[in-house]
Amino acid sequence: MNRRLAQGFSDDMPASSSAETVAVIAIGANLGDRQATMTAALEELARLPLTTRVVASAPIETVALTLDGPDEEAPAYLNAVALVTTRLAPSVLLGFLHAIEEAHGRPPRRVDDLRWQSRTLDLDLIAYGDVRSADPALTLPHPRAGERTFVLEPWLQVDPEAVLPGVGRVHDLLAALREAEAEADAESAPEGGAQ
Ligand SMILES: Nc1ncnc2c1ncn2[C@@H]1O[C@H](COP(=O)(O)OP(=O)(O)OP(=O)(O)O)[C@@H](O)[C@H]1O
Ligand SMILES: Nc1nc2c(c(=O)[nH]1)N=C(CO)CN2
């Protein structure tokens, strides 16, 4: 673990919330040894201070979603979801997630960064209990989670009763996304079916 991770953060924000909370973390990797990076990141999550439990889904292989849509030519992602039981406050937890990403070769964020670039590791805070926040630095739940099968599918695997706070049941959101995908596929299929 790097020095920043081991020492924690010295900001003014409180380091802990009073109660244990389950945080939902989406893990993605599409560069380098994706499985090794994901395994190491899960171990690092389990070693975070004030954190007692990490339950991870199996990884799934997914087509890269880019700003132009799904891209079969781009390196495919491994995606997983971890349920992390912690007393770290949400902003402190996000700071640790960024430090873990950087420890695995992801460059620190810059304001002019392009979104959705390929990366060795991406850790998104999808939900923190049922906390809601509109802060751009930490929006909760993650504003795009409900549109992403690569988040909802592994989340449902580890929590079949999961709810995206303020949005709905993960089971229902995933079913609706899959239905929309099937309709879009049917519309784009050549008339008369496959040749
Ligand atoms: N719930 C959240 N989880 C992670 N980052 C968040 C969240 N809400 C806001 N952010 C902010 O979003 C910024 C960009 O994050 P990141 O680089 O991971 O985006 P991305 O992975 O390219 O795109 P996306 O957010 O659509 O997954 C971060 O600097 C972070 O402060
Ligand atoms: N399949 C897949 N595509 C993505 C992913 C991801 O985790 N999986 N993350 C992105 C930025 O967060 C952009 N695109």
Side-chain angles (χ1 to χ4, degrees):
M1 185 175 287
N2 72 9
R3 202 156 56 90
R4 189 162 164 229
L5 269 181
Q7 290 176 338
F9 294 82
S10 57
D11 301 14
D12 296 338
M13 56 181 126
S16 66
S17 61
S18 51
E20 277 201 324
T21 303
V22 176
V24 179
I25 295 171
I27 309 172
N30 77 331
L31 295 178
D33 186 339
R34 303 170 306 164
Q35 182 61 68
T37 304
M38 198 172 268
T39 303
L42 285 167
E43 286 167 6
E44 284 154 21
L45 288 174
R47 288 202 299 269
L48 287 179
L50 302 175
T51 298
T52 53
R53 192 159 187 252
V54 173
V55 177
S57 72
I60 56 170
E61 176 112 6
T62 64
V63 171
L65 178 65
T66 70
L67 294 176
D68 297 322
D71 183 356
E72 305 263 0
E73 306 298 318
Y77 276 79
L78 272 192
N79 281 112
V81 160
L83 303 182
V84 174
T85 306
T86 188
R87 289 179 51 238
L88 290 171
S91 55
V92 178
L93 178 58
L94 183 66
F96 277 116
L97 300 186
H98 290 168
I100 294 174
E101 289 174 348
E102 287 168 30
H104 288 281
R106 179 165 172 177
R109 285 167 180 72
R110 297 177 355 180
V111 279
D112 56 350
D113 271 356
L114 288 177
R115 292 171 61 221
W116 299 7
Q117 286 172 323
S118 287
R119 67 267 316 256
T120 48
L121 182 63
D122 186 36
L123 298 173
D124 286 334
L125 187 50
I126 299 301
Y128 182 93
D130 53 12
V131 170
R132 312 269 291 276
S133 157
D135 181 351
L138 179 52
T139 310
L140 289 170
H142 189 290
R144 289 166 288 284
E147 303 153 14
R148 294 178 167 176
T149 53
F150 59 78
V151 170
L152 301 180
E153 189 182 316
W155 187 1
L156 200 61
Q157 214 188 88
V158 283
D159 182 3
E161 302 304 324
V163 171
L164 188 61
V167 184
R169 293 185 67 220
V170 169
H171 176 276
D172 299 342
L173 295 170
L174 186 57
L177 282 182
R178 286 189 172 140
E179 198 174 318
E181 274 171 16
E183 275 170 23
D185 285 351
E187 271 168 32
S188 64
E191 266 183 51
Q195 300 296 307

